[in-house]
């Protein structure tokens, strides 16, 4: 009997396991094999299985500071002694085979290694950063790109990716906003599940199935003031309402591992938090896989002021429920003695080892330790033209049209207009991929100028001037840019953040265009020529002056290998923009944290001038560009909102209908959004919450009725006692094209029969 993903999920949901593993559903031979192994393992070998070390057989340029990095010789000795169970962040079949052969043939018990790595938005073919892809408002697209990433990663000798990052990010100062799906819970849940499905595929034992590791458990995105590695101080309600559900979705989709967050929650570092990692994660959420620490996070318990020393840190982490220690080597150094001295029960170790070995079993490693180490796949499956085409498609569908005054876009690819492409990103190839793309070949992405030239019938119409560097002036650059703008009919201004400005450890106090680039924008706009801004960024930005007032603005994030082609596709209208913002663009940096589903307060703002209301005196409460916002090149109009019944019975559903019509002259796609608000509840509820998305594509003149079904399950929230509850009462409902405005109606949820009127 073979074990597939569905069986594991069923196991995960059955809640009937004694040891925290889906043993009941494993093949008897697998269970027997794991049991037999555990019976034979020494304490040191068990601690070794629970240890994950940087792969120095297949080194790369690590994103992390060096910590206890082994050299190749030392690492080989550790493998042979059975003192390591997992290697991470090296790629390549030859090196992987060497390491695996050592483990299988030379270690006493021959337990194969798990080979892990951070494949966050692509291995060699780089797809848009996850935040950009969330803007497509199309999880099915993310499932496809995750599958492509898995095909490449497994062809390069990996079994597991430390992805997706499912942290909800509501403060744009935090650099890791770029790695997730943005500020919204519903979107976060859809993308978490889609990416897990994409990475893992249907059958975990297949050579091209890549285990997912949704991270960072939990609430890492809620670090105070967006400061990386900072502290999290949140209510249990917020933890459960906002930060845990995307993990639920990822586990329900079949994820078998997760990673504890670096941060602390309410005084307890996640890595040592037994309530979080055991009671909630395993007890309540019925997670049945294994937990990685983050990079040296167990050792960092000392700096947190939570552990006395390394030994204490290892003890706290393992007792909390961290099964696999990443990079510190603390487990292999201290667990044997901790068990011998009685500080850690042998049972705790056996459960952790069992979890790890079951995951290895689940992906077929014992039957085929050389899976995902096939030299033929390495040449055939990486960087294929199919993947490049998908990268282009997903990149174009991630670009958000924020502003388009006088329909300045799309530009004509065939007309005689002279275009000045100005800005430090015009020809830049070093900042196309974005953070976390360190396996991608440098310089192999398509820059904007190349993409535009390829799309134009007469490329000589394109003038190019950088104007300035990303963070400083260029000698004479500004003057040359102004001359180019004067000589042109239209300016395309490529400005924004470098890829080092977002990602891990890249928190910023302001989220604005660097000053030198802002000055470039002002000078170019002063020529009076229409300006189309192409933003490059890993977070929402606060835009000002000439940038905010440009005729058109496109959010182009970090789009990956095919960035230039995708941008040209949108600029010249080969692809119609259809993306939506997964993060709100505030007016000012100081509005952060900012998210659309905030609370009303006792003094909600009526208009921005009225005093003594919940507002800043210096900025509007709204966003410059709200969550869910994104324009198209056509005119898509929603009307005829209808409910099947304004009374929702407890065990029934109501149907919501609205008609979308394309009244413009071009084909277009709208991501129709449904939002709800619970008017009165025993715990205050947000002013609106996204509950459904439906992407609809229409030709000019065509209409479509969009239908949604709403039931009690959509109205639940974390209530008293931190339990999920539903309360009868009145609800607002909006259907629209962003988190602002839309068609409005109301319905009432009844616990019993609605009273006759
Ligand atoms: C990051 C993780 C990552 C790990 C391994 C850490 O610094 O927080 O997200 O998976 O490194 O590279």
């Amino acid at each position: 009997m073979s074990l597939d993903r569905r069986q594991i999920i069923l196991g995960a949901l059955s809640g009937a396991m004694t040891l925290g593993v889906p043993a009941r559903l494993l093949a008897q031979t697998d269970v027997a094999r794991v049991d037999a192994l555990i019976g034979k393992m020494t304490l040191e070998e068990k601690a070794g299985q629970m240890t994950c070390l940087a792969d120095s057989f297949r080194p790369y340029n690590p994103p992390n500071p060096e910590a206890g990095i082994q050299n190749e010789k030392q690492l080989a000795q550790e493998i042979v002694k059975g003192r390591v169970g997992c290697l991470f962040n090296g790629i390549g079949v030859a090196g992987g085979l060497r390491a695996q052969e050592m483990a299988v043939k030379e270690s006493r018990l021959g337990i194969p290694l798990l080979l892990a790595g951070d494949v966050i938005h692509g291995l060699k073919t780089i797809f848009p950063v996850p935040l950009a892809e969330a803007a497509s408002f199309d999880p099915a697209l993310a499932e496809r790109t995750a599958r492509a990433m898995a095909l490449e990663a497994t062809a390069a000798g990996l079994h597991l990716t430390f992805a997706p990052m499912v942290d909800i990010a509501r403060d744009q100062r935090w650099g890791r906003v770029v790695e997730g799906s943005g500020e919204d819970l519903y979107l976060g849940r859809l993308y978490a599940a889609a990416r897990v499905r994409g990475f893992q595929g249907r059958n975990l034992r297949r050579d091209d199935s890549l285990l997912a590791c949704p991270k960072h458990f939990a609430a890492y995105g809620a670090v105070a003031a967006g400061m990386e590695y900072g502290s999290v101080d949140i209510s249990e309600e917020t933890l459960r309402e906002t930060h845990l559900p995307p993990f639920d979705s990822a586990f329900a989709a079949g994820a078998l591992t997760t990673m504890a967050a670096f941060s602390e929650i309410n005084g307890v570092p996640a890595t040592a938090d037994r309530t979080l990692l055991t009671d909630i994660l395993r007890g309540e959420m019925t997670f049945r896989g294994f937990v990685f620490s983050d990079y040296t996070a167990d050792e960092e318990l000392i700096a947190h002021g939570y552990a006395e020393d390394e030994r204490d840190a290892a003890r706290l982490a393992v007792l909390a429920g961290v099964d696999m220690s990443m990079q510190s080597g603390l487990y292999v150094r201290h667990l044997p003695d901790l068990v011998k001295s009685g500080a850690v029960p042998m049972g705790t170790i056996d459960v952790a080892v069992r979890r790890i070995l079951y995951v290895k079993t689940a992906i077929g490693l014992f039957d085929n330790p050389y899976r995902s180490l096939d030299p033929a796949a390495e040449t055939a499956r990486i960087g294929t033209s199919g993947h490049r085409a998908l990268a282009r498609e997903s990149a174009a569908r991630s670009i958000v049209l924020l502003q388009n005054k006088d329909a300045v876009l799309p530009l004509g690819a065939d007309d005689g207009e002279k275009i000045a492409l100005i800005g430090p990103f015009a020809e830049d190839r070093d900042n196309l991929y974005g953070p976390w793309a360190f396996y991608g070949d440098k310089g192999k992405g398509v820059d904007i100028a190349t993409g535009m030239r390829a799309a134009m019938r007469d490329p000589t119409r394109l003038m190019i001037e950088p104007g300035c560097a990303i963070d400083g002036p260029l000698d004479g650059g500004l003057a040359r840019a102004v001359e180019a703008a004067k000589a042109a009919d239209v300016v395309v201004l490529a400005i924004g953040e470098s890829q080092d400005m977002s990602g891990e450890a890249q928190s910023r106090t302001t989220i604005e265009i660097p000053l030198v680039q802002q000055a470039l924008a002002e000078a170019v706009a002063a020529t009076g020529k229409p300006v189309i801004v192409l933003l490059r960024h890993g977070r929402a930005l606060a835009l000002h002056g000439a940038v905010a007032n440009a005729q058109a603005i496109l959010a182009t994030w970090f789009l990956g290998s095919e960035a230039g082609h995708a941008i040209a596709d949108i600029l010249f209208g080969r692809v119609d923009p259809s993306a939506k913002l997964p993060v709100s663009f505030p007016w000012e940096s100081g509005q952060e944290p900012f998210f659309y589903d905030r609370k009303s307060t006792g003094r909600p703002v009526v208009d921005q001038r009225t005093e003594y209301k919940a507002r800043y005196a210096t900025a509007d409460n709204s966003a410059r560009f709200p969550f869910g916002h994104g324009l198209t090149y056509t005119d898509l109009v929603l009307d005829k909102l209808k409910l099947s019944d304004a009374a929702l019975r407890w065990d029934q559903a109501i149907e919501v209908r609205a008609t979308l019509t394309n009244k413009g002259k071009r084909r277009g796609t709208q991501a129709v959004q449904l939002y709800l608000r619970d008017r009165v509840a025993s715990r205050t509820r947000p002013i609106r919450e996204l509950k459904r998305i439906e992407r609809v594509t229409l030709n000019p003149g065509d209409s479509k009725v969009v239908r949604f079904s709403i039931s009690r399950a959509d109205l639940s929230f974390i209530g008293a006692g931190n339990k999920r509850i539903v309360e009868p009462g009145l609800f607002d409902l909006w259907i629209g094209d962003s988190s602002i405005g839309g068609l409005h109606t109301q319905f009432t949820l009844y616990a019993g029969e609605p009273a006759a009127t």
Side-chain angles (χ1 to χ4, degrees), residues 55 64 80 97 140 186 202 304 328 364 419 425 440 466-467 486 519 638 675 692 710 715:
D55 185 343
N64 278 297
V80 171
L97 274 173
Y186 177 70
R202 285 175 186 280
H304 270 286
S328 67
I419 305 173
F425 297 102
K486 283 186 184 156
L638 272 166
Y675 293 86
R692 293 282 188 283
I710 294 292
L715 313 177

Side-chain angles (χ1 to χ4, degrees), residues 60 63-65 88-89 117-118 120 161-163 165 176 179 213 215-216 220 228-229 259-260 262 293-295 326 436 438 504:
Y60 75 101
N64 278 297
F88 77 107
N89 278 352
D118 290 284
I120 307 298
T161 176
F162 297 126
M165 188 188 96
R176 301 195 80 166
E179 290 175 54
C213 178
K215 65 187 186 186
H216 306 83
Y220 185 38
E228 180 69 316
Y229 313 127
M259 186 187 291
F262 277 130
S293 78
D294 204 340
Y295 191 95
M326 188 196 295
W436 290 107
F438 36 74
E504 185 173 347

Side-chain angles (χ1 to χ4, degrees), residues 50 59 75 155 434 500 629 733:
M50 297 166 69
L75 188 60
D500 302 338
H629 168 75
L733 181 151

Side-chain angles (χ1 to χ4, degrees), residues 374-564:
D374 173 6
E378 193 173 34
T379 40
R381 254 184 8 220
I382 297 179
T384 63
S385 55
H387 292 175
R388 278 304 270 232
L390 180 59
R392 181 169 180 167
E393 179 191 344
S394 61
R397 286 175 53 190
S398 302
I399 297 174
V400 191
L401 179 61
L402 297 176
Q403 187 158 291
N404 194 16
K405 294 182 197 161
D406 308 323
V408 62
L409 285 176
L411 300 172
D414 301 329
D415 63 23
E417 264 190 341
K418 286 206 203 90
I419 305 173
L421 173 60
I422 294 174
F425 297 102
E427 292 186 294
D428 170 275
R429 291 197 171 178
D430 297 332
N431 296 278
L432 293 169
Y433 294 168
W436 290 107
F438 36 74
Y439 304 115
D441 295 323
K442 282 210 172 66
K444 286 251 175 93
V446 180
D447 61 87
I448 301 173
T450 304
M452 286 180 72
R453 277 198 210 99
M456 294 165 74
R457 191 196 284 172
D458 174 11
T460 61
R461 291 195 287 120
L462 190 68
M463 296 171 275
I464 297 165
E465 278 298 339
C468 62
I470 295 171
D471 231 351
L474 285 179
D475 212 14
L478 192 67
R480 284 195 300 275
V482 169
E483 283 317 305
K486 283 186 184 156
D489 299 301
V490 61
V491 174
V492 174
L493 186 63
I495 54 174
E497 301 186 307
S498 71
Q499 65 184 25
D500 302 338
M501 290 182 186
S502 52
E504 185 173 347
Q506 300 308 326
S507 296
R508 298 179 79 76
T509 49
T510 55
I511 51 168
E512 290 164 16
I513 301 290
L515 281 178
V516 66
Q517 296 184 52
Q518 184 71 36
L520 174 68
E522 302 298 339
V524 164
T527 63
K529 295 296 164 74
V531 175
I532 294 154
V533 169
L534 301 178
L535 294 175
R536 186 157 298 179
H537 52 127
R539 50 164 63 82
L541 297 171
L543 306 177
H544 297 293
V547 179
N549 294 327
Q551 266 67 24
I553 308 176
L554 288 163
T556 76
W557 323 96
F558 297 102
L559 292 175
S561 302
E562 288 288 316

